[in-house]
Amino acid sequence: MAGSDIKYTDGGVCAPNGFRAAGTACGIKGTKEKKDLALIVSDVMCSAAAVYTTNKVKGAPLKVTKDNIADGRAIAIICNSGNANTCAPNGEALAGKTCELTAESLGVKAQDIVVCSTGVIGQELSIEPFREGIPELTAGLSYEGSAEAAEAIMTTDTVPKEVAVEFTIDGRLCRIGGIAKGSGMINPNMATMLSFITTDVCISPDVLDRVLKEDVKTSYNQICVDGDTSTNDMTVILANGMAGNDIIDGDGEALDVFRRALSQVTVYLAKRLARDGEGATKLIECRVKGAADDEQARAISKSVIASDLLKAAMFGADANWGRVLCAIGYAPGEFSTENVDVDMSSSAGTVEVCRGSRHKEYSEEEASKILSEEEIIISVDMHQGSGSGVAWGCDLTYDYVKINGDYRS
Amino acid sequence: MAGSDIKYTDGGVCAPNGFRAAGTACGIKGTKEKKDLALIVSDVMCSAAAVYTTNKVKGAPLKVTKDNIADGRAIAIICNSGNANTCAPNGEALAGKTCELTAESLGVKAQDIVVCSTGVIGQELSIEPFREGIPELTAGLSYEGSAEAAEAIMTTDTVPKEVAVEFTIDGRLCRIGGIAKGSGMINPNMATMLSFITTDVCISPDVLDRVLKEDVKTSYNQICVDGDTSTNDMTVILANGMAGNDIIDGDGEALDVFRRALSQVTVYLAKRLARDGEGATKLIECRVKGAADDEQARAISKSVIASDLLKAAMFGADANWGRVLCAIGYAPGEFSTENVDVDMSSSAGTVEVCRGSRHKEYSEEEASKILSEEEIIISVDMHQGSGSGVAWGCDLTYDYVKINGDYRS
């Protein structure tokens, strides 16, 4: 019987039964000090699904991965950081070779490998570091290896992102785990940045694919750091069935529980990605209600957190609701902006700044105190329906400029 | 007989025959030191046309102006800076009253007045400063008053923007002049920031309207400072016919000359607006050729100059073509990105950085020297058609963050 609380747990991508992971420094980043190669392996074959960037410029690994999981099956994920293998010579051949080396090392088929890369665009990537790195990685595989893998996929991230949840389906204990990386070049569209999700739930490839595509609409697609949709964004999920539940191959309570648990994982990671945006000092969440429908609410919330002017105002702890309204007004879609309410809140309290699209008296001092916290919530009521949505972003700071004026990425 | 060189000349909006202008400080900006009220008046009635922001949140003045020039006629423009009269109580009544006061002072009809406001959103605007300011303004009207008016419409602009051109139609000497303001909150869409254009050419309202709507597609709509489409963007053009040419009321050589002259004015102003973007140290121009069509080329060029990562790279004088390709890839539309060339140039030279979507060897030192100039051109060849387009923007700097973290605008 499905239905249970969903609780956070340890272990990241290794929390679900039957997944090992590892991370190593193989030299792509130019130093043995920085991990740059990650591996996640299931004990048994998995149902697999992925969503990819909609940028027309796609990293070579995306094409190879898409081919490999066309049959809905995969057993491992190999990922390097430091070089995106995008707009680089022989990219697809190299990504293919990476799969072969990994498959050989694991004793599996190359077509069952998911391959990813993240880092600088346009620089040639050599296969040499992989030749030594992959065996090293395989030798280091562990059921406690998630943290290493999370570290090895980082580029300008300041912290690794990792989470896991547990819940029950049919009385069986199930888990979903995930790691992610992002930071700059974050404005996912129809895809995500790099995120690897594992689960021991038994689920068919078709349903898994459907659930993932649906999920990203309210998680990864609702974050923005700087409006640049990357060339390499990808979210991959592997489900190995080792929890032993009856296979989920259609709608029902089991699927509902799985959806909610997956959402808890992806939303957690999405928020961490937004909070760790390049140069960010604050997580900004925009909650919209009262829109015509949920899709409209999501579009509005995303427009707000993506606005450079709003992001800069948040950096300055300035309750500039005019910029919020401006961003609402240029969100795609046809809707009224005549009766909009805006509140701004944090752990330090709430300030009501706009009612009916007009100024509401508030204390600048109070507002400044509230907006000086690290997590800000901008609440918007559009008063024209029951649609709701949430989006996450971060403030625009001097450090964003510094990082991106200097970092060849 | 039409057809002639188009030459720059002095006088701004007063260059065309029969236009006077003035600017004064009436207290809206809180000090008599800063001009905040501008007036442009024609000796005789004009054909009038305007394009407006597509932001669903529209400043009150836009609605009043739209009504007033529905008949294609106007005789004067009154504009205040310091307060956008947007999302403020009684906004439309106040804008209407402004027209009445101006009309009374000039001895004309209120419905023939164009009214505009620019500045902070959400703060109530009082009619009191206008009561004294308008008579002062009228008393100060002069055929040399363009510079004063240009100054009075500024908000965070660091320099006034003003230009005029002269040319001949039917052997008659004609002029077009313009002033503009912008700086932050610049991402015009289907409209422009504040720009006032005057001409003494004789032209019908319908044709004038058509020409203006067409013109902004390749001028004001092709600039971006920070991606925020303002609530108050407007371009207005007044044509008083005092050049004495045969009325332009359809296609032909006379219209062609007028179009080219108008484009020279609006492109000049658009570039100045981009260059004076908040915190900017550089003008960035992106020229695209080889696209499927002109519209696609324009979309691609605009995507490039609007990218925060690209803008930051330009600030750092970093020839990061990967970010150019990324921005090309997420521009709207379906097109190939397999064979893209990118050059970067300035007065210091040209560096070829990408050929066929792959790295081309170049000297980092040379590139850095070239990109340290104040005007950068990024040239893109898409190799799949004959469409071309241009867009303008500026670099993303620490000062943008500083200005917008502190400025209540």
Side-chain angles (χ1 to χ4, degrees):
Chain A
M1 179 64 198
S4 68
D5 285 331
I6 299 162
K7 291 194 277 277
Y8 287 112
T9 186
D10 300 324
V13 288
C14 297
N17 223 341
F19 283 96
R20 288 178 300 160
T24 193
C26 71
I28 295 169
K29 279 178 175 167
T31 163
K32 283 284 178 176
E33 304 303 308
K34 293 185 173 178
K35 289 187 171 55
D36 51 25
L37 196 60
L39 182 62
I40 300 168
V41 188
S42 167
D43 292 350
V44 299
M45 187 61 67
C46 302
S47 292
V51 281
Y52 312 90
T53 185
T54 51
N55 194 313
K56 286 171 278 294
V57 175
K58 287 173 170 43
L62 276 70
K63 297 166 195 173
V64 175
T65 288
K66 210 166 180 181
D67 285 344
N68 285 359
I69 67 171
D71 62 357
R73 300 267 175 229
I75 199 166
I77 301 170
I78 179 87
C79 175
N80 77 280
S81 56
N83 187 315
N85 191 14
T86 298
C87 292
N90 309 312
E92 280 185 51
L94 194 133
K97 187 69 186 169
T98 306
C99 292
E100 285 172 28
L101 292 171
T102 307
E104 203 179 304
S105 192
L106 293 172
V108 299
K109 295 205 181 92
Q111 309 92 284
D112 293 326
I113 307 287
V114 166
V115 57
C116 309
S117 297
T118 180
V120 186
I121 295 170
Q123 280 181 15
E124 186 159 14
L125 180 57
S126 161
I127 196 66
E128 294 315 312
F130 292 88
R131 287 194 194 283
E132 283 195 25
I134 286 170
E136 224 177 89
L137 212 44
T138 307
L141 282 170
S142 150
Y143 291 103
E144 280 86 41
S146 180
E148 273 192 6
E151 193 191 324
I153 64 174
M154 288 167 60
T155 51
T156 50
D157 310 70
T158 63
V159 292
K161 287 87 174 167
E162 186 188 50
V163 70
V165 298
E166 63 182 27
F167 49 101
T168 59
I169 288 179
D170 302 339
R172 320 290 299 205
L173 184 65
C174 303
R175 295 185 182 94
I176 301 177
I179 58 174
K181 67 84 49 183
S183 207
M185 206 172 266
I186 303 287
N187 189 38
N189 192 7
M190 222 31 200
T192 59
M193 57 304 319
L194 278 193
S195 176
F196 305 135
I197 303 170
T198 56
T199 182
D200 44 23
V201 165
C202 186
I203 184 169
S204 73
D206 287 349
V207 174
L208 185 64
D209 185 67
R210 176 161 60 93
V211 168
L212 183 65
K213 282 182 163 66
E214 198 59 35
D215 179 273
V216 297
K217 291 181 185 176
T218 50
S219 60
Y220 298 125
N221 282 6
Q222 285 298 104
I223 72 177
C224 175
V225 165
D226 56 16
D228 280 80
T229 300
S230 156
T231 55
N232 283 54
D233 291 344
M234 203 190 320
T235 276
V236 186
I237 182 167
L238 300 184
N240 71 6
M242 285 179 67
N245 59 296
D246 295 336
I247 186 168
I248 301 177
D249 56 9
D251 292 329
E253 291 195 50
L255 185 58
D256 288 345
V257 176
F258 181 73
R259 261 203 206 98
R260 286 193 294 114
L262 178 63
S263 181
Q264 192 158 324
V265 164
T266 57
V267 165
Y268 176 94
L269 290 173
K271 288 172 72 170
R272 296 320 303 154
L273 286 171
R275 173 61 184 86
D276 197 34
E278 280 166 348
T281 69
K282 301 178 184 178
L283 173 71
I284 304 168
E285 175 172 312
C286 179
R287 297 180 185 168
V288 174
K289 68 178 193 180
D293 52 43
D294 289 352
E295 193 181 331
Q296 186 72 88
R298 288 197 295 268
I300 290 171
S301 63
K302 196 159 179 200
S303 187
V304 170
I305 54 89
S307 155
D308 269 358
L309 283 170
L310 185 278
K311 286 154 64 74
M314 291 299 102
F315 175 53
D318 175 18
N320 195 322
W321 63 266
R323 293 181 183 177
V324 175
L325 244 78
C326 179
I328 290 172
Y330 63 71
E334 292 306 312
F335 52 87
S336 165
T337 54
E338 298 292 306
N339 187 15
V340 178
D341 298 344
V342 180
D343 290 356
M344 296 185 183
S345 58
S346 72
S347 55
T350 298
V351 59
E352 301 176 355
V353 294
C354 171
R355 286 291 178 273
S357 304
R358 296 287 178 270
H359 184 81
K360 183 173 198 285
E361 281 306 318
Y362 62 87
S363 152
E364 293 279 5
E365 200 187 313
E366 186 69 18
S368 186
K369 201 160 60 78
I370 287 167
L371 295 177
S372 296
E373 296 294 318
E374 277 196 21
E375 295 197 16
I376 313 280
I377 296 173
I378 298 173
S379 303
V380 174
D381 191 335
M382 300 295 295
H383 287 297
Q384 55 198 277
S386 53
S388 65
V390 197
W392 303 274
C394 58
D395 51 344
L396 177 63
T397 69
Y398 298 122
D399 279 351
Y400 178 88
V401 177
K402 182 174 182 182
I403 291 167
N404 288 299
D406 289 325
Y407 172 60
R408 174 57 63 87
S409 160
Chain B
M1 179 63 199
S4 67
D5 283 332
I6 299 163
K7 289 195 279 278
Y8 286 111
T9 186
D10 300 324
V13 288
C14 297
N17 222 341
F19 283 96
R20 289 178 300 160
T24 193
C26 71
I28 296 169
K29 279 178 174 166
T31 162
K32 283 283 179 178
E33 303 303 306
K34 293 185 174 180
K35 290 187 171 54
D36 51 25
L37 195 61
L39 180 63
I40 300 168
V41 186
S42 167
D43 292 351
V44 300
M45 187 62 66
C46 303
S47 292
V51 282
Y52 312 90
T53 186
T54 51
N55 194 313
K56 288 172 276 293
V57 175
K58 287 173 170 44
L62 276 70
K63 296 164 195 171
V64 175
T65 288
K66 211 167 179 179
D67 285 345
N68 286 357
I69 67 172
D71 62 357
R73 302 266 175 228
I75 199 166
I77 302 170
I78 179 88
C79 175
N80 77 280
S81 57
N83 186 315
N85 190 15
T86 299
C87 293
N90 309 311
E92 281 185 51
L94 193 133
K97 186 68 184 170
T98 305
C99 293
E100 284 173 30
L101 291 170
T102 307
E104 203 180 303
S105 191
L106 293 173
V108 300
K109 297 204 180 91
Q111 310 93 288
D112 293 327
I113 307 287
V114 166
V115 56
C116 309
S117 297
T118 180
V120 185
I121 296 170
Q123 279 182 15
E124 186 159 12
L125 180 56
S126 162
I127 195 67
E128 293 317 311
F130 292 88
R131 288 195 193 281
E132 283 197 22
I134 286 171
E136 222 177 272
L137 212 45
T138 307
L141 283 170
S142 149
Y143 292 103
E144 280 87 41
S146 182
E148 274 192 8
E151 193 191 325
I153 63 174
M154 288 167 59
T155 51
T156 51
D157 310 69
T158 65
V159 292
K161 286 87 174 168
E162 186 187 51
V163 71
V165 297
E166 65 181 26
F167 50 99
T168 58
I169 288 178
D170 302 340
R172 318 290 298 206
L173 184 64
C174 304
R175 297 184 181 94
I176 302 177
I179 58 175
K181 65 83 53 182
S183 208
M185 207 173 267
I186 302 287
N187 189 38
N189 193 6
M190 225 28 203
T192 60
M193 58 303 321
L194 279 193
S195 175
F196 305 136
I197 304 171
T198 57
T199 181
D200 45 24
V201 165
C202 185
I203 182 167
S204 73
D206 287 349
V207 176
L208 185 64
D209 185 67
R210 177 161 60 91
V211 170
L212 183 66
K213 282 182 162 65
E214 197 60 33
D215 178 273
V216 297
K217 292 182 186 175
T218 50
S219 59
Y220 298 125
N221 281 6
Q222 287 297 103
I223 72 177
C224 175
V225 164
D226 57 14
D228 279 80
T229 300
S230 156
T231 54
N232 284 55
D233 290 345
M234 203 189 321
T235 276
V236 185
I237 181 167
L238 300 184
N240 70 6
M242 284 179 68
N245 59 297
D246 294 334
I247 186 167
I248 301 176
D249 55 9
D251 291 331
E253 292 194 49
L255 184 57
D256 288 345
V257 175
F258 181 73
R259 262 203 203 100
R260 287 193 295 113
L262 177 62
S263 181
Q264 191 159 324
V265 165
T266 57
V267 166
Y268 176 93
L269 290 173
K271 288 172 73 170
R272 298 319 302 156
L273 287 171
R275 174 61 185 86
D276 197 35
E278 281 167 347
T281 69
K282 302 176 185 180
L283 172 71
I284 305 168
E285 177 172 308
C286 179
R287 297 180 185 169
V288 173
K289 68 179 193 180
D293 52 43
D294 289 353
E295 192 182 331
Q296 185 73 86
R298 289 197 296 266
I300 290 171
S301 63
K302 195 159 179 202
S303 187
V304 170
I305 54 89
S307 156
D308 268 358
L309 283 170
L310 185 279
K311 287 154 64 71
M314 290 300 102
F315 175 54
D318 175 19
N320 196 322
W321 63 267
R323 293 181 184 178
V324 175
L325 244 78
C326 179
I328 290 172
Y330 63 71
E334 292 307 312
F335 52 86
S336 165
T337 54
E338 299 291 306
N339 188 14
V340 178
D341 297 344
V342 180
D343 289 356
M344 295 184 184
S345 58
S346 71
S347 55
T350 298
V351 58
E352 300 176 353
V353 293
C354 171
R355 285 291 177 272
S357 305
R358 295 287 178 270
H359 184 80
K360 181 171 197 286
E361 282 305 318
Y362 63 87
S363 153
E364 293 278 7
E365 202 187 312
E366 186 68 19
S368 187
K369 202 161 59 78
I370 288 167
L371 295 177
S372 298
E373 294 294 318
E374 276 196 22
E375 295 198 15
I376 313 279
I377 297 172
I378 299 173
S379 304
V380 174
D381 190 335
M382 300 295 295
H383 287 298
Q384 55 199 275
S386 53
S388 65
V390 196
W392 303 275
C394 58
D395 52 342
L396 176 64
T397 68
Y398 299 122
D399 278 350
Y400 178 87
V401 177
K402 181 172 183 185
I403 291 166
N404 288 300
D406 289 323
Y407 172 60
R408 174 58 64 85
S409 163

